[in-house]
Amino acid sequence: MLKNWTKIFIHHIKHNKLFTILNTFGLGIGIAGLIFAVLYWNDEHSYNQWNSEKENVFQTLVKLGSTDDIWANNPAPIGPLLKKKSNKITSFCYLESYYTGGLVKYKGKKLLFSKITSAQKNFFSYFPFTQIYGSINAYKKDKIAVALALKTAKQLFGNENPIGKQILIEGNKHIVKLVYEIPGKSSIASEIIINTIDDRIKTDGNESAWGNYNYGLLLKLKNPKDKAIVEQEIENLYFENVIKPNAKNGGITTQKYIKQYGENTVYLEQLKTDRINAMPVGLAEGKGNYQFLLIMMGISLLILILSIVNYINLSTANAIKRAKEVGIRKIVGATKRNIISQFIFETVIITLFSIMIALSIVEITLPYYNAFLEKEFLLSGSQFFIQLIIIFGLTVIVAGIFPAIYVANFDTTKVIKGNFGRSKQGVWIRNSMLIFQFTIATFFIIGTSIVHEQIKYMNSKDLGFKGEQILEIYYPRREDNQLYERYVTVKKELLKIQGVKQVSSGAFTFGNGASSTSGFSYNDVNIQGHNMAVDYEMLEMLNVKMKSGRFFNKNIASDATESVIINETTLKMMKEKNPVGKIINWNDKQLKIIGVVKDFHLMGLQTEIPPMVFFHYKTIDWMIGNLGKIAIKISAQNQTKTLGQIEKFWKKNINQDYPFDYTFIDKQFAQTYKEYVSQRNLFSILNIVVILIALFGLFALVSFSVERRMKEIAIRKTLGAETKELLFTLTKQYFIFCVFGFICAILPVFYLLQLWLENFAYRIEMPITPYVLSFFFLLTLTLIVVLGKAYQATKVDVLYYLKYE
């Protein structure tokens, strides 16, 4: 039986080469798209799944006061107090929820590492990495102990046993007590772990400070279901230790304080979902883009559905050619079940070929896909192959069953009489599917156009500053009281280099914002502002515009001790018409406003411009510690020579250990919307794929349709019909299908693109032009395909089709 089916299938392929190729490649492209999405989905959902504590460990996040977008870490007192008050947690762990970089030295070897984490000694009970050498107990007992990832240990020590070896990290001595290996994807994947955070809390004087939200906090709950209870317990602690004392000091009731300043809102993020949850703050490895993940899966499923619709359309249309075959088989005794099995068998073979094509496409393009998403996907793993089998099974079921049942239900009598070709059976289903194809194609064309418009807007919008020809260089900090003085000396020397126009510094980074935030009050209004510590001329170098007042002046001594500049957003929140000369209370320090600068974008167009408070580094004692970069404006002429001289000076006078590394501010800001540029590029590629699949299906369907009507066309020509009349008759239904498909796409595309545009605080309004242009573009492509085939049909040899009539 299988041998007979195979012979029939091969015979059918030989006489329908084009449509078999279109079917196979169409399905192959659709399956390839879904495989790409599945690889991405698996990778994002694999984070922390190896961790036996993933259900019980939670990251603690705090939304400060009445602010809508400022999520912070935690003050130092909250952990010990919560452990004392609550019976719902077993332990807590403070850590840096971000990576720091550092230079590591061992016996003359100098290596720069970018993933260093400082955490409390019980860190490994939260992230139980595999122990390779040493022990966790030994690590916990020694204050200067360090734990190294296996890869890091090999880079430093080669094949030596690293345990007990002394290394220098940023000049500080540490003894290697543990070497670990990370079993899988992890929200923290440190190269080096040190247990110095307790000392840092004491050094910073934050053991009892409730106003400094500087520390990442992990909690281990006895029962994950108690999450909401623990959140409420932490909020109660903030009420008792922040709201009550502040209200008392301000001479107001707690109710009035909450009304004015809001309450702290606590959220516990389970480690199991830390990577893909929609919360804005993650651990050191960052958050996955869950929305983009859903977009990828949705788009891939749409493309596969489009490919399957094509297959069903072509299979049902092509069934007319096989009507006599089916009719004869029924006469000689074949049952419906036999015929259905045969056609499903053919679908299985085509799907197998399609999967091989899909895997070939994925294998060839995977390096580009990895580069696009900055990942390292591999076509391996039992989970992936199980998913591939599921994709195969679903494709066969969806694509094979309907055409098989449709063919098996042919009326044997009509088939043998030879008039089956005039049957209308199944036509309405093919037409509906064709409209569906037009709908999907319209969705992609409009979506791509609007994404392009938003990216174009982001590229052209006035950002409020100018970063051209301004480079930032990492400035190594030392724990001494001469940091600013050394910086001033470096600044003077840099200005002597030909081509250097200006030199300054700011404690903020374009794309990441300020290094700290603090609240200040003015006339009973509390504002959580970004602390924008700067040196003289930094704002002028960035060409930030002044709304009122003046910039900092190095000739006015008070500008470095008691003066601030605010931005327009801060001014609006203060509700003050004439702020210059007014006094604000910044952490019990009285500061005078000397100017208001116009708003400029700091963290990308996705984010509202936050309230900013600018002051000189020396105004706030501890802020000088955030002087970690130097900004240099250079001339566009002889740029290479100028950069060479700066590098030479830097290596000789600043730091020989660190590589000379710099970024231009304008390019650095462009990184804030890099992922959306990638999404635009992805939409563009998939748009081409969808259009091609839709046009392949349209071409094949039109070919079948015209072929069935060749005798009708011959008769019309014999009766005197002109070519334009025949063209109109053959194309009008496809024009109507295109219009219906466009109408069906309007509401879904409008709704989904509105959701996408909500990612941006600064965005375009939904334009009408892409809708109009998309309709005419799709209509033009449709008419080109249909008219081309229809015109070819009008040149029919009338005698050939009428000689038997």
Side-chain angles (χ1 to χ4, degrees), residues 99 132 173 201 235 306 390 417 465 568 597 627 741 774:
Y99 294 129
I132 305 298
K173 292 181 181 179
I201 291 173
E235 289 177 0
L306 185 65
I390 293 172
K417 286 181 178 179
F465 74 94
E568 289 177 299
V597 295
L627 198 163
S774 298

Side-chain angles (χ1 to χ4, degrees), residues 73-77 204-206 209-215 517-518 587 622:
N73 284 313
N74 306 265
D204 293 346
N206 285 333
W210 283 86
N212 296 329
Y213 297 81
N214 298 331
Y215 308 103
T517 68
S518 296
N587 283 352
W622 56 265

Side-chain angles (χ1 to χ4, degrees), residues 29-48:
I29 292 171
I31 293 171
L34 189 56
I35 289 174
F36 279 128
V38 164
L39 290 173
Y40 185 29
W41 179 275
N42 290 346
D43 184 79
E44 290 296 311
H45 282 79
S46 67
Y47 276 80
N48 305 316

Side-chain angles (χ1 to χ4, degrees), residues 273-292:
T273 59
D274 175 77
R275 175 72 179 181
I276 58 173
N277 196 282
M279 295 303 297
V281 182
L283 291 169
E285 285 295 305
K287 302 291 290 186
N289 190 333
Y290 190 58
Q291 185 193 60
F292 183 57

Side-chain angles (χ1 to χ4, degrees), residues 4-22:
N4 185 42
W5 288 355
T6 304
K7 286 181 178 179
I8 294 171
F9 178 64
I10 293 171
H11 173 79
H12 176 64
I13 288 176
K14 286 180 179 178
H15 290 80
N16 296 275
K17 296 184 182 69
L18 175 62
F19 303 120
T20 303
I21 291 171
L22 291 177

Side-chain angles (χ1 to χ4, degrees), residues 27 31 347-356 392 395-396:
L27 274 179
I31 293 171
T347 303
V348 167
I349 295 176
I350 288 177
T351 305
L352 282 172
F353 276 110
S354 297
I355 283 183
M356 286 190 283
F392 168 75
T395 303
V396 169

